[in-house]
Amino acid sequence: MRMPIPDATIIANRQQLIDKLSTFLTSKQIVIDKTTLRAYESDGLTAYQQRPLLVVLPENTAQVSEILRICCEMNVNVVPRGAGTSLSGGALPLEDGIVLAMGKFNRILDIDYDNRCVVAQSGVTNLAITQAVENRGFYYAPDPSSQIACSIGGNVSENSGGVHCLKYGLTTNNILGVELVLMTGEVIRLGGKYMDPEGYDLLGVITGSEGLLGVVTEVTVKILQAPQCVRAMLLGFPDNESAGQCVAEIIAKGIIPAGIEMMDELAIHASENFCHAGYPLDCQALLIVEIDGPQAEVDELIQVIRDIGKSRGSQYFKVSSSDEERLRIWAGRKAAFPALGDISPDYYCMDGTIPRKQLSRVLTKMTELSKHYGLRVANVFHAGDGNLHPLILFDANKDDEMEKAEEFGADILRLCVEVGGVLSGEHGIGVEKRDLMPDYFSEHDLNQQQRLKCAFDPNGTLNPGKMFPTLHRCAELGKLHVHKGKLPFPELPRF
Amino acid sequence: MQETLLPENQDQFAELARFCLSEKKSLAISGNNSKSGFGYSVQADIDASMSACTGIIEYDPAELVMRARAGTTLNEIKTVLTEQQQQLAFEPETMSALYSNSREDTIAGVFASNLSGSRRFQAGSARDHLLGFNAINGRAELYKSGGNVIKNVTGYDLSKLICGSWGTLSVLTELSFKVLPAPAVIVTAILDDLNTEKALGLLSTLATSPLHASGLALLPGGIKSALESNVTQANCTSLIRFEGSRTSVDARLREFQTSYASQMSVSLLEQDESLQIWKALSSASPVAYHPVIMKLSIPPSLALRMSQLLNEIGNCNWYLDAAGAWFWLGLETTKAVENINRFRSSLAEENGSAILYKAPDEIKNKVGIYSPAQVTLESLRLRIKESFDPANIFNPGRLDYQK
Ligand SMILES: Cc1cc2nc3c(=O)[nH]c(=O)nc-3n(C[C@H](O)[C@H](O)[C@H](O)COP(=O)(O)OP(=O)(O)OC[C@H]3O[C@@H](n4cnc5c(N)ncnc54)[C@H](O)[C@@H]3O)c2cc1C
């Protein structure tokens, strides 16, 4: 994987940059020593590492603004970083760039029950928001499996999901506002404690922009009242296909469960051995279906789902009888990644989305690919919304297994696109899927996106090398090539 | 009236855009012009409509996704969805009462104007349901964004920008959007004997209760007559909607009556009556007869103060939706400028938006359809417009303040 060629002048000006930053930051806020820098060399995609020029740890928005202004002036690249759990290398440092680490933005600023929202600095963890309001029976809905660690600013930048986003939406559907610092150092506020801001929806386009458009310093999130009743069910099936059909039928019957997850045999066994969630070990596919809402509704739906399961050949059914049991069921699912890490030296997690009806075709093809590459693959699947997480198991110490895993992963994502799906459901493009973007987008599609990037960051110094396979200069992209057009008059009907 | 061109497919539209670019002509783009009353009037060389690009391209209810061409009417889409017991959860309703016409909304118009109805506070607005699209930008290039699946973070989420851009960034040609199961049963509980303060208190409690009410509105006395329904009581009327399966709705209604409304007299509007009233609320029809109409979107905790301010100003009618987060308000032209400035300045400190949906041109030009924004934000928006439409050929001036 190639990163943009580092600019030697910037590297040579490192000391000058440090001097400028030192005028308003303490020495503790500027990390320069090699050992400490090592901690920032990669994010959750540990296959890639790069030592940054510096790491800077701002404490407030004014400092972020000043840091960006200086970097803009000196043409220094900036890589924003939240908790560094990105699985697509979004926070991978650059040799000629600083890492702007938002860890000190760790305060919840306002809990506003009347307006059903919380205002938090961007470094606050996802789970901390829920913890701050749960004593009053509230919670923040998006719950990525990394929620104890990942930051709300990172969630905004990746538009993160979780196991409940089928019913409750992704980050983008659950935030009301942000404070954002542009690469020039200018600070803007988008949205607030209300629903419909005026003019173009900048909040919407910032969400999921992978740190390429601005630095998020503060986020206003919606909080919801916890449902009256929540139950989780386990349904075991003799094959993936029946499990897939069961999911389709639940949804076709008009039920939107709070979550539907599917795990294949390898994932079931690994999770069960790892954390003893009580999963049945004699089935090929396991569904976790969670239903929440008023008691009467939950009771009714459990029955319906049980029947659908039966009609699709389920061989195992269990419904949680206490909250403890329900959480244990989820603990198994949420620990699926580390559990697979336990049975294999390394794993590589993919994240394509497919139309659900293509599930069986995709799984069959994946089995073939697994044979072809000689690597095992386990599947956990946000089955309700078609978001696949195949985990390719490999050993980086064995020659070429890492390359093979990468190729295998790329084949899976191309397959997702081929059946009408997309490259990423929730983990983002980052550096990981960057070079696959042309498999999904045409040149026109990509150019339009890059022009938008130019509107925010004309010099292209904010997180370059991520998301786009080819970097064009904004001036070049902005040129308007006019071709002689003719009004297709006679052919056009008119009224 | 200028003639309107009707391209039949996206290639023809691209050709038309190419012509406009090379001949330096601008284009007024519409669906069926059902919401042409929104924004500043557009002075363009050529009028073009997407209303001939019609048809549902793909719909599989179990995938929760539909893809349709831009000019497909909202009514056709609703009919097809209803057959499968599905719906557009953001509850778009025609704005034809507001703009005094009977033209049918096209699906591209629904998204380009970011419509949403009373379920907004739970289900989001159009922007939360657009999954992807094909469009032609101001360089006459056909491009796509997003996809046909309900979970996707591949590339920037341009769908959000397109929703609410009113045809000023690109011409939508095909749209993929999320569809969801429709509730089997809809019941609205009506309470009449509460004053505004008490009613607001109740709505806000319900907004965070696990009863999951999907509509929480308040109609002050004066506008009841605008609704063709049998709500005829004095004081102000609170409306609380429950949707879902029969079992679920009944259970929640029981709990509502015992835990939240035990001392109150509650009447119920079943299915069709219920549908009718929420349709009216979602389409602003209770205030539609006014010449000037605004929608305020505010932190719900300000609702009481806002209602007092509105009553003090007088000469206006309003109702409140989304548990106090929205006010639709109708004004007379006299003193409209002064009053609009008043709401806006009262919101400026606390945050909130006040969009002018309808007004005579001279009022729009004086106060702007949007509140004045931060300069940095304004210039960023202009750069964004340029990044899609560098020669300003699409709907020039429709959203511009500085004309
Ligand atoms: C075990 C594990 C499980 C996971 N499960 C899920 C899951 O279920 N669902 C899911 O969606 N994701 C999941 N993830 C991925 C990851 O946790 C999310 O993408 C998360 O949102 C990243 O947050 P972060 O704070 O760690 O951001 P980082 O990794 O630090 O950064 C992510 C990206 O956002 C940018 N960024 C970070 N902070 C800011 C800021 N303040 N302003 C501007 N840009 C910023 C960075 O430049 C980078 O591009 C998982 C990861 C792990 C390791």
Side-chain angles (χ1 to χ4, degrees):
Chain A
M1 196 240 349
R2 253 173 344 104
M3 292 306 283
I5 300 159
D7 183 335
T9 348
I10 293 175
I11 300 174
N13 288 341
R14 182 172 185 253
Q15 190 54 47
Q16 199 190 338
L17 176 64
I18 296 172
D19 293 344
K20 285 200 182 183
L21 294 173
S22 303
T23 60
F24 63 98
L25 298 173
T26 63
S27 59
K28 278 197 184 142
Q29 289 179 276
I30 309 174
V31 179
I32 49 177
D33 75 285
K34 286 188 179 165
T35 336
T36 324
L37 285 178
R38 189 160 300 146
Y40 295 89
E41 277 179 359
S42 48
D43 56 18
L45 183 65
T46 48
Y48 304 119
Q49 294 119 23
Q50 170 63 53
R51 182 178 307 148
L53 193 62
L54 304 172
V55 173
V56 186
L57 302 159
E59 281 172 348
N60 54 49
T61 304
Q63 289 180 352
V64 173
S65 160
E66 190 58 13
I67 295 165
L68 291 182
R69 200 188 58 74
I70 291 170
C71 288
C72 190
E73 200 178 276
M74 295 180 67
N75 218 21
V76 175
N77 291 319
V78 175
V79 177
R81 178 183 170 108
T85 66
S86 165
L87 291 173
S88 54
L92 178 71
L94 298 164
E95 197 181 336
D96 60 349
I98 65 161
V99 165
L100 188 69
M102 301 301 287
K104 291 185 186 291
F105 278 66
N106 56 6
R107 280 184 307 128
I108 289 183
L109 302 174
D110 186 9
I111 299 177
D112 185 345
Y113 292 108
D114 286 342
N115 291 313
R116 320 186 267 276
C117 63
V118 166
V119 184
Q121 288 187 317
S122 63
V124 170
T125 63
N126 171 296
L127 187 62
I129 296 180
T130 290
Q131 285 170 340
V133 295
E134 66 191 356
N135 62 326
R136 292 265 302 259
F138 283 82
Y139 73 111
Y140 171 62
D143 58 343
S145 303
S146 50
Q147 69 184 147
I148 32 168
C150 64
S151 71
I152 189 69
N155 291 176
V156 170
S157 302
E158 298 285 15
N159 190 15
S160 301
V163 291
H164 291 103
C165 60
L166 176 63
K167 183 164 175 184
Y168 294 102
L170 297 150
T171 305
T172 192
N173 314 108
N174 287 279
I175 61 172
L176 292 168
V178 293
E179 180 185 72
L180 184 80
V181 187
L182 302 179
M183 191 58 216
T184 50
E186 292 163 299
V187 182
I188 57 176
R189 295 192 74 88
L190 305 171
K193 292 179 176 180
Y194 59 100
M195 293 189 303
D196 294 299
E198 304 177 354
Y200 297 146
D201 184 357
L202 302 191
L203 177 62
V205 82
I206 285 298
T207 311
S209 67
E210 304 195 11
L212 270 75
L213 299 183
V215 176
V216 178
T217 46
E218 186 191 296
V219 187
T220 304
V221 305
K222 287 189 219 171
I223 48 170
L224 304 178
Q225 178 77 17
Q228 201 170 46
C229 174
V230 190
R231 311 276 293 273
M233 282 161 268
L234 284 174
L235 290 96
F237 291 88
D239 53 70
N240 290 317
E241 189 151 22
S242 329
Q245 284 165 350
C246 177
V247 173
E249 197 171 324
I250 290 172
I251 288 171
K253 278 253 161 69
I255 303 170
I256 300 292
I260 315 186
E261 295 292 308
M262 179 168 158
M263 293 162 86
D264 71 2
E265 195 192 10
L266 190 50
I268 301 168
H269 282 256
S271 288
E272 184 56 23
N273 289 336
F274 189 74
C275 70
H276 314 291
Y279 295 166
L281 293 174
D282 56 349
C283 50
Q284 297 290 306
L286 184 68
L287 291 182
I288 305 174
V289 184
E290 183 161 283
I291 294 290
D292 68 8
Q295 179 84 49
E297 183 176 317
V298 171
D299 292 345
E300 184 183 22
L301 292 181
I302 288 175
Q303 219 30 63
V304 178
I305 289 169
R306 177 182 204 143
D307 292 346
I308 295 174
K310 246 188 224 153
S311 74
R312 293 294 170 184
S314 70
Q315 58 194 123
Y316 180 87
F317 179 89
K318 185 166 92 174
V319 55
S320 66
S321 54
S322 66
D323 229 33
E324 212 175 18
E325 191 176 1
R326 182 178 71 83
L327 293 174
R328 199 162 63 240
I329 290 177
W330 279 116
R333 166 60 187 85
K334 292 203 176 185
F337 294 6
L340 286 152
D342 219 37
I343 62 164
S344 165
D346 298 282
Y347 69 87
Y348 184 31
C349 171
M350 308 311 296
D351 169 50
T353 304
I354 55 168
R356 252 186 293 93
K357 61 182 168 219
Q358 300 287 358
L359 180 65
S360 136
R361 177 172 160 199
V362 168
L363 291 179
T364 310
K365 182 79 202 202
M366 228 188 276
T367 312
E368 282 168 27
L369 288 168
S370 166
K371 283 203 191 106
H372 171 79
Y373 285 103
L375 296 175
R376 286 185 299 166
V377 63
N379 265 291
V380 295
F381 181 38
H382 299 304
D385 42 36
N387 187 195
L388 292 169
H389 289 321
L391 292 123
I392 301 168
L393 308 184
F394 70 101
D395 182 351
N397 288 326
K398 285 197 187 144
D399 43 83
D400 75 358
E401 278 213 351
M402 160 104 186
E403 287 72 31
K404 273 195 199 159
E406 283 183 337
E407 277 170 44
F408 186 0
D411 281 350
I412 292 175
L413 294 183
R414 284 192 203 100
L415 174 63
C416 292
V417 172
E418 195 186 301
V419 303
V422 297
L423 297 170
S424 179
E426 57 179 10
H427 294 167
I429 301 301
V431 290
E432 187 209 17
K433 293 158 222 140
R434 184 193 68 187
D435 296 336
L436 290 171
M437 287 285 266
D439 283 285
Y440 183 68
F441 286 122
S442 74
E443 197 182 340
H444 282 165
D445 307 343
L446 287 172
N447 285 351
Q448 184 55 61
Q449 294 185 43
Q450 289 203 49
R451 288 192 192 101
L452 177 74
K453 158 86 170 154
C454 293
F456 283 85
D457 173 27
N459 297 328
T461 44
L462 195 56
N463 218 1
K466 318 289 168 69
M467 194 169 326
F468 300 111
T470 339
L471 287 178
H472 296 293
R473 292 190 166 281
C474 290
E476 178 198 326
L477 277 172
K479 278 190 197 132
L480 187 57
H481 304 281
V482 179
H483 303 284
K484 190 84 189 142
K486 56 177 191 329
L487 188 56
F489 259 129
E491 299 88 343
L492 278 181
R494 329 177 88 202
F495 61 76
Chain B
M1 208 181 110
Q2 213 162 306
E3 286 175 290
T4 300
L5 300 182
L6 282 170
E8 282 174 336
N9 55 50
Q10 50 194 21
D11 294 333
Q12 285 187 354
F13 213 104
E15 185 62 38
L16 175 57
R18 216 167 292 129
F19 169 81
C20 291
L21 265 181
S22 69
E23 302 305 309
K24 298 199 169 19
K25 302 246 184 254
S26 56
L27 264 178
I29 305 146
S30 64
N32 282 329
N33 256 320
S34 63
K35 293 176 276 293
S36 59
F38 185 90
Y40 307 102
S41 50
V42 174
Q43 305 296 332
D45 303 309
I46 300 172
D47 288 350
S49 160
M50 293 306 290
S51 58
C53 298
T54 58
I56 292 168
I57 302 166
E58 212 179 308
Y59 173 41
D60 181 345
E63 297 288 332
L64 304 176
V65 177
M66 181 184 270
R67 187 169 180 87
R69 290 191 190 86
T72 317
T73 64
L74 177 60
N75 280 336
E76 178 182 344
I77 286 172
K78 284 187 175 176
T79 310
V80 172
L81 289 174
T82 307
E83 281 165 14
Q84 302 295 327
Q85 285 99 45
Q86 290 196 328
Q87 65 174 0
L88 295 170
F90 58 100
E91 222 178 343
E93 286 302 339
T94 179
M95 289 283 143
S96 54
L98 196 104
Y99 296 119
S100 317
N101 65 57
S102 52
R103 295 182 210 119
E104 285 210 48
D105 299 66
T106 62
I107 195 65
V110 165
F111 283 97
S113 56
N114 193 24
L115 281 193
S116 60
S118 301
R119 214 182 279 119
R120 167 71 177 96
F121 68 108
Q122 275 185 351
S125 60
R127 55 93 81 179
D128 295 287
H129 298 256
L130 185 61
L131 301 170
F133 62 83
N134 280 5
I136 290 147
N137 65 16
R139 297 164 182 269
E141 296 164 347
L142 176 66
Y143 72 98
K144 75 158 177 294
S145 172
N148 295 317
V149 287
I150 53 179
K151 195 170 174 201
N152 176 15
V153 296
T154 313
Y156 294 135
D157 192 356
L158 302 183
S159 293
K160 298 288 182 296
L161 269 183
I162 286 294
C163 288
S165 69
W166 293 90
T168 61
L169 296 178
S170 293
V171 183
L172 288 165
T173 57
E174 288 179 9
L175 303 93
S176 290
F177 42 90
K178 192 166 164 181
V179 296
L180 285 166
V185 173
I186 306 168
V187 177
T188 304
I190 307 266
L191 271 79
D192 295 304
D193 37 17
L194 296 181
N195 62 28
T196 311
E197 187 171 357
K198 291 234 169 73
L200 272 171
L202 177 67
L203 296 187
S204 113
T205 310
L206 287 168
T208 55
S209 88
L211 291 186
H212 212 74
S214 65
L216 292 163
L218 192 153
L219 291 161
I223 53 169
K224 258 175 265 150
S225 53
L227 289 167
E228 288 174 358
S229 129
N230 62 351
V231 199
T232 53
Q233 300 71 12
N235 226 334
C236 67
T237 303
S238 312
L239 297 99
I240 298 141
R241 176 173 64 182
F242 296 100
E243 298 176 300
S245 69
R246 184 86 257 172
T247 327
S248 168
V249 168
D250 286 350
R252 284 181 288 155
L253 267 174
R254 265 196 309 278
E255 187 166 342
F256 167 67
Q257 285 180 318
T258 48
S259 311
Y260 298 87
S262 58
Q263 305 298 317
M264 305 172 199
S265 80
V266 177
S267 53
L268 299 181
L269 293 183
E270 295 285 338
Q271 207 73 7
D272 287 349
E273 278 179 310
S274 203
L275 280 171
Q276 193 192 351
I277 200 156
W278 291 100
K279 196 170 173 164
L281 292 174
S282 293
S283 59
S285 66
V287 294
Y289 60 93
H290 282 273
V292 179
I293 290 181
M294 295 201 93
K295 182 157 141 194
L296 311 182
S297 183
I298 61 172
S301 63
L302 294 185
L304 182 62
R305 224 185 321 142
M306 184 53 70
S307 71
Q308 286 158 350
L309 176 70
L310 296 175
N311 292 343
E312 196 184 297
I313 284 169
N315 214 9
C316 73
N317 280 306
W318 57 270
Y319 67 96
L320 167 165
D321 207 343
W326 266 1
F327 278 76
W328 274 107
L329 86 117
L331 299 154
E332 292 309 310
T333 46
T334 33
K335 286 213 181 159
V337 170
E338 188 187 322
N339 288 338
I340 291 168
N341 287 332
R342 233 173 123 182
F343 315 132
R344 282 191 174 152
S345 58
S346 80
L347 286 180
E349 290 152 35
E350 306 265 2
N351 265 340
S353 68
I355 301 178
L356 188 56
Y357 266 74
K358 180 173 90 175
D361 280 350
E362 74 261 24
I363 294 182
K364 282 184 190 165
N365 291 334
K366 271 196 195 129
V367 295
I369 55 165
Y370 297 136
S371 318
Q374 207 186 341
V375 180
T376 324
L377 198 56
E378 229 16 67
S379 48
L380 178 57
R381 289 213 173 101
L382 279 175
R383 292 200 299 277
I384 290 174
K385 160 80 176 166
E386 271 168 28
S387 75
F388 285 87
D389 179 21
N392 194 19
I393 57 171
F394 295 148
N395 280 351
R398 185 152 194 197
L399 300 181
D400 283 354
Y401 302 32
Q402 310 95 330
K403 292 198 305 170

